[in-house]
Every structure is written in structure tokens, then in C-alpha cells.
Amino acid sequence: MKVVVDLNRCQAYAQCIYAAPGHFALHGREALVYDPSPDETARGEIERAIHACPVRAITAYPDAADAAAGEAR
Amino acid sequence: MTTPPERIVVVGASLAGLAAAHALRERGYAGRLTLVGAEPHRPYDRPPLSKQVLRGLYSADTTLPCHPDLRAEFRLGQPATRLDLTGRVVECEDGSRLPYDRLLIATGTRARPWPNPEEAALAGVFTLRDRDDAERLGAHLRTKPQRVVLVGGGFIGFEVASTCRDLDIPVTLLVRDAVPLTAALGPRLGGLIGEVAREKGVDLRLESEIERMEGEAGRLAAVILKDGTRIETDCLVAAIGTLRNVEWLDGSGLEADAGGLRCDAFCRALLHDGRVAEGVFCAGDVARWPNPHDDDALVAVEHWGNARAQAETAAANMLAGDASAMRRHDHLPDFWSQQFGLTIKLVGLTEGADALAVVHGSFEERRLVAAFGKAGRTVAAAAIDSARWLPAYKAAIRERAPFPPIEDAVDQPRIRVQEP
């Protein structure tokens, strides 16, 4: 899947780190780093992180199917 | 009243283009939606490129999440080459022609190339803007270069310097100004970041510029500074700013130059004579827009938050019908940077600020919020490892609150106004 965090919004409450420990981490007091492309098997953890974020900064969707590229509506 | 659009073309398949596509679908647009991208990749996120991607943490694939039901056609690796406003057609490099009812121009910027092409062509000389740039530079850093020389005193230069130090690679950072990061943060905060960089082992050289590079068999071997100093190095990153991707608009009639594509408060692109180009909108780094938080002074910013917000406003206005139903782009500029373990955040713009007040924390703790004043009004606030306090100041800046904005909080007994 694909993950992006709005780091303007992020205030380092670090709840994502408890929800999905292998995919989010703090470097220093507030610098959040995260896996932008976790394996599909991590979906449950990533969804927990999305819901745990007090400022709703995390967005994730499944990987785009290759067929979708180049395909008109 | 204009007819609702049935064919929307977005030129630029990066953060702004993708955000606009999402916003159009969320607003119920059901017609044809085409995103044209110069790079071969689906829209991806750039901020991690100078940090975790170079460092090799997690995946290097920063493709942005895309709604499974976006129903967009991506034309990738296919730069737009010409715009015909009369015929309402975008032409691409392969000669294909894309007709539109509404067009969004979100072509962004590219790295400013090193001015000497012979030096720029030396192996070991890099710029950093695209995913492919990050891949090339990352691969080179993994070979443990003897020293990385960074040119440019902006955020990219500092972020790459920080990443190199994390990788235990010696770094020399050349900054033309007497104090780094002043354009964005002012000298006090810029000076603080410079101090932190030095403590982390960066060889920070202020008021330093490169006179020339020395190559050996096509590879970078050393740089000679203007003061005559010679530094041996096999890796140089030129982080000397960006150029706006407006050349493809030459001859279109749109008011576009090195400063960006001029648009009005509703993100509508303007013609040379100042009239609105019907059906053409603009968002992201390429846009030059009137900033309502600075008396409508024209501004172009290269910020993640603005790209998204402006794309969303442009998308709403593309579907609004006539101007009376459009909303203005009133985003307050904001950005973040992560370096040397610190998170730096800014809201508002510090340009022209004449006063600074530390309103939480302190320089000594390296954890603080500083408000910036200009002629008695609060115009910006910067946070270092204090992101939670920033939203309160964001509100003050929007309201153009007197400076300093909050004077009686129990945790800030003495506010001292100083030079920025």
C-alpha cells in the first residue's frame, strides 16, 4: 500500500508509532519518519495508525492496479 | 454561466496535480480526467527524498496514495510542449493533442542546474529534485564518498548535510550568505540551525562560493573556492534553487516567466494583458498568486501544503461555473524541515519582518516558538521541536494580530522583542 503523512499537521503525538511500530518512527523529539510503501500485510496496522492519529495526518490507499494506468475513465 | 466541464486535463502529475484530481472526484466530477506527467513515475512525494530515501530507511518508493476509484488517465513520461488557448488543446511531446474544457497547470519546478555545463557533467556532481536524482545520489552515498560538498544555504542543502552526517560521511556545506537559511527563517533562527549543523560535524563555510571544479578522467576530484581554498571531494550536490517549468507556455499568451505563472485570487491563469484565460487554472510551485495575508503581494512558494491547498481550491473553482461561486485561495504559507534530529516548522512568511519574540521555550533549549512581527503585526511564527504550539499562532497571523500576539500566557512570563 501507499502511505503519506501531512507533516505540516503532524504534532508528534507518536500514536502511529504504537499502532504500527515497524512503519513509523521518531528521529529526535518530533521528526517523524515512516514507510511510504508498506506491504499489503501491514494494512491492519496502518489503519490502526490512521485512526489513532489525533490530528488526522495520515492517508493510505492500496497500491494502484497497473491496469489503472493508461486507462481512461 | 458556463457549461459544466466534461474533459479536464491536468498538466503536472505530482502532488498538486494528484490533489486536484482527488478533489475533482470528491466534488462529484464524473467526466474525463487526464493527468500529464513529464516523468515516467506516478505521482510521488518529494520531501522524503532528501531525508529517509537518501539514508536508505524504509522504501525508496514514495508514490503518493491514489484513491482506487480515481478513474484518471495518466500520461506519464510525456511532457506537455505547447498550449493552444484558442483551440483549447494541450500538445504533448509525442505529438498527441489533448482537448480540454478545463485545464489545470501544475508543472512545478526543476532543480537549477549547475551553471557551468562542463562541471555539471562530471561524474559525482548531482542535483536533487526528482525521484531519479535521489536514486542516483543515494547509490553514490552508499559507496561512501570521501567527502560530500554541498552548495547552497537552503533547506535542501541542510537536509542533505544532515543525512550525510547520519551516514557518517564528511560534509562541507558552502553557503554564499553570512548566515544560512535567512530568507526563510531570518538570521537568528538560521544562525541557530547553522550552529547545530556545526556541532553535528558539518564543515559549514559561510560566505563561500566555488570558483571552479577539478575533474580527473571525467570524475570530480576537487573544488576550488573563491578564496583559493582547495577541497578534495568526489561528490558535490548543487542545491542552488529551482527553475519554474513554464517554457512550454511560451507563445500561449499566458503571463508566465521565471517568477511563475501569474494567476488571480481564484487560481485562474492570467493572460499578458491581465485578463483571465477562460477555463485555465494554476496550482502548486509554478503558480504566482496574490497572497491575502500580505496585502495581495504576489508570491510563489515551493511548499507541500500550498501545492495541496491550491490544487483543492483550483479544483473547486474549475467546477464552480462562474466567478461568483468561486472561492479565493487564502492558504497561509506553511512548511516543515527535518534535519539534525530537529523539526523546524514555519507558518506565514518572514520576509520583511522587523521583530522577533520567543514566545515559548528558548534558544538555549533549542526548543521554541518564535513569532515574527512586521510593522506591529504578527506575520509569521516558527517552531523548533514545538509543533503543538504553532496552530495558535497560525490563527493570530490570519487575524493580523498585533505583535507580539499573546503576551499574558502563564508559561511565557517575559517576552522580549528582538531583531529577527
Side-chain angles (χ1 to χ4, degrees), chain B residues 220-274:
Chain B
L220 176 70
V223 295
I224 317 293
L225 305 188
K226 291 228 156 109
D227 66 6
T229 314
R230 183 174 184 277
I231 302 171
E232 287 194 10
T233 177
D234 49 358
C235 181
L236 179 142
V237 184
I240 51 175
T242 57
L243 301 174
R244 295 195 160 76
N245 293 320
V246 292
E247 292 79 0
W248 71 286
L249 299 171
D250 282 352
S252 67
L254 292 180
E255 181 68 9
D257 58 24
L261 170 57
R262 178 81 167 84
C263 62
D264 72 1
F266 305 108
C267 308
R268 296 182 294 185
L270 300 182
L271 300 164
H272 291 310
D273 61 9

Side-chain angles (χ1 to χ4, degrees), chain B residues 153-155 158 175 177-195 206 335 339 344-357 363 368 370-373 379-384 418-420:
Chain B
F155 284 99
F158 272 78
V175 177
D177 303 326
V179 184
L181 302 171
T182 37
L185 296 177
R188 286 292 315 263
L189 282 170
L192 174 68
I193 304 300
E195 229 176 81
L206 303 171
F335 76 83
Q339 45 182 287
I344 303 157
K345 291 193 171 191
L346 184 80
V347 291
L349 294 174
T350 62
E351 201 192 334
D354 53 28
L356 173 143
F363 277 92
L368 63 108
F372 291 83
V379 293
I384 295 179
Q418 47 195 314
E419 301 264 301

